[in-house]
Amino acid sequence: MREAIFTAQDIKKTYENVDDLLVTKRIIQKYSTNRVDIRERALENLDLSFVREALDLGSGYGFFIEILGGRLRSNARITGLDLASGNEAAYRKTVSSLDYEARFISGPADQIRGMADGSFDLIIASYSLYFFPHLVGEIHRLLARGGIFIAVTHSSDALGEAIGFVRSCMRRMGLPAPAHTALGRLLAAFSLENGSSLLGAYFKSIEKISYRNSMVFGPEHVDDCIYYLEKKRNLIYKEALENHAERVTDLESCISASIFKHARERGRVVINKDDGIFICRKDGRVH
């Protein structure tokens, strides 16, 4: 198994505050150029009425399952698995609001190795599989015959502008700027560009859907852009936090000033938010 790019603590700090996750979701929805909800795009051609058992890997508070109401069997159970135990109450509330049975498991995704073959009709990894791409084989094993795996992920170029601001400010401050940042390496672990290849080692039936998108912030909305990036600081500033913790405050100030300047000079700040959706069917059976 490859060495983890981000520690469990990095991930928890980024995703354990439900209020922050809800605010960042609203920011993405408000400033995205693609007005179609990516979850609706993923589900638009799927019949999930056969699903009795679903597994949500890296579930958070339940972002993806929010729109599953009425799509699964009436007696369906949804199991959320997430590193951040603080998401449990919100997750159970989300599932219960859909009139499904809720189960929540706290801890690393590798726990699925101990689950029985064919346990789930549906498995979801929404913006999470790049943390554990080594588990694709286990996900395939856990699916029942004819089961569906939905993976939503980023393009390898996503947030490229944000990474550029970080690297530029690090150089300006005399800090070594990595050619390949930890965030960039994370996104490359499972992306729109390489997802089919990684999944193809186990799944014969794979549908790839490109979801082109950007977040566009005008000069009057730069604060929202900065807020969004700050809530991902443990991912975006990984190198600085580990090697130059005493300079991180200065780095954040530099990045904020750079973003404001960019918006004034160019009239807007554009952040790449290209994503990808992969629909995989075990044994190629179509429902």
Side-chain angles (χ1 to χ4, degrees):
M1 186 176 71
R2 69 182 176 87
E3 182 179 353
I5 299 172
F6 290 93
T7 68
Q9 197 61 25
D10 293 330
I11 297 169
K12 287 179 181 179
K13 287 180 178 178
T14 304
Y15 299 105
E16 66 185 353
N17 189 310
V18 175
D19 289 338
D20 285 348
L21 296 178
L22 293 174
V23 172
T24 55
K25 180 181 77 169
R26 287 194 289 269
I27 288 174
I28 293 169
Q29 291 173 334
K30 180 176 180 179
Y31 297 103
S32 285
T33 55
N34 192 330
R35 306 311 300 168
V36 177
D37 189 313
I38 192 169
R39 299 167 297 181
E40 295 286 356
R41 181 70 182 89
L43 298 176
E44 63 183 4
N45 295 318
L46 291 181
D47 176 9
L48 301 178
S49 60
F50 70 99
V51 174
R52 298 188 185 203
E53 291 282 350
L55 174 63
D56 189 2
L57 292 171
S59 61
Y61 70 89
F63 165 74
F64 193 92
I65 65 165
E66 285 178 324
I67 64 165
L68 288 182
R71 295 178 186 266
L72 313 184
R73 293 179 69 97
S74 59
N75 60 344
R77 178 170 67 172
I78 304 178
T79 300
L81 194 160
D82 198 85
L83 268 176
S85 59
N87 281 318
E88 179 171 2
Y91 192 82
R92 288 185 178 277
K93 181 178 180 180
T94 300
V95 176
S96 296
S97 72
L98 305 175
D99 292 326
Y100 298 132
E101 180 183 347
R103 182 182 179 217
F104 187 88
I105 302 172
S106 176
D110 283 84
Q111 292 179 91
I112 68 174
R113 295 182 186 277
M115 296 180 179
D117 293 3
S119 297
F120 300 97
D121 306 302
L122 172 67
I123 299 179
I124 299 163
S126 176
Y127 300 112
S128 61
L129 190 57
Y130 34 64
F131 288 113
F132 42 86
H134 59 284
L135 292 178
V136 172
E138 291 295 311
I139 291 170
H140 180 270
R141 180 184 64 80
L142 288 179
L143 275 177
R145 179 176 173 79
I148 294 175
F149 173 45
I150 302 173
V152 181
T153 193
H154 295 299
S155 163
S156 58
D157 296 323
L159 304 182
E161 298 83 359
I163 293 173
F165 284 125
V166 174
R167 295 181 72 249
S168 176
C169 279
M170 289 183 73
R171 288 194 297 266
R172 199 177 308 167
M173 294 169 60
L175 302 176
H180 303 287
T181 64
L183 179 58
R185 288 185 285 119
L186 175 73
L187 298 183
F190 179 78
S191 68
L192 168 65
E193 291 76 16
N194 68 10
S196 294
S197 176
L198 294 171
L199 294 167
Y202 298 93
F203 292 95
K204 294 180 180 179
S205 174
I206 303 170
E207 178 186 2
K208 174 183 173 180
I209 303 169
S210 296
Y211 182 89
R212 300 299 179 184
N213 190 27
S214 295
M215 292 188 293
V216 180
F217 301 87
E220 70 278 20
H221 296 128
V222 170
D223 284 337
D224 284 343
C225 178
I226 293 171
Y227 180 93
Y228 174 83
L229 298 180
E230 285 180 349
K231 294 308 173 184
K232 297 183 179 295
R233 70 194 301 270
N234 290 286
L235 306 182
I236 296 175
Y237 307 152
K238 172 73 170 178
E239 290 81 5
L241 286 166
E242 284 189 345
N243 303 313
H244 311 284
E246 75 285 354
R247 305 291 304 279
V248 169
T249 299
D250 293 336
L251 177 62
E252 290 179 315
S253 296
C254 176
I255 292 169
S256 295
S258 297
I259 293 174
F260 272 107
K261 180 181 178 182
H262 184 97
R264 287 195 304 270
E265 293 178 349
R266 305 195 184 187
R268 61 181 186 170
V269 176
V270 180
I271 302 293
N272 183 307
K273 193 66 175 60
D274 287 343
D275 291 333
I277 304 162
F278 295 91
I279 311 296
C280 306
R281 292 177 172 85
K282 187 166 184 177
D283 301 328
R285 180 177 169 188
V286 178
H287 295 276

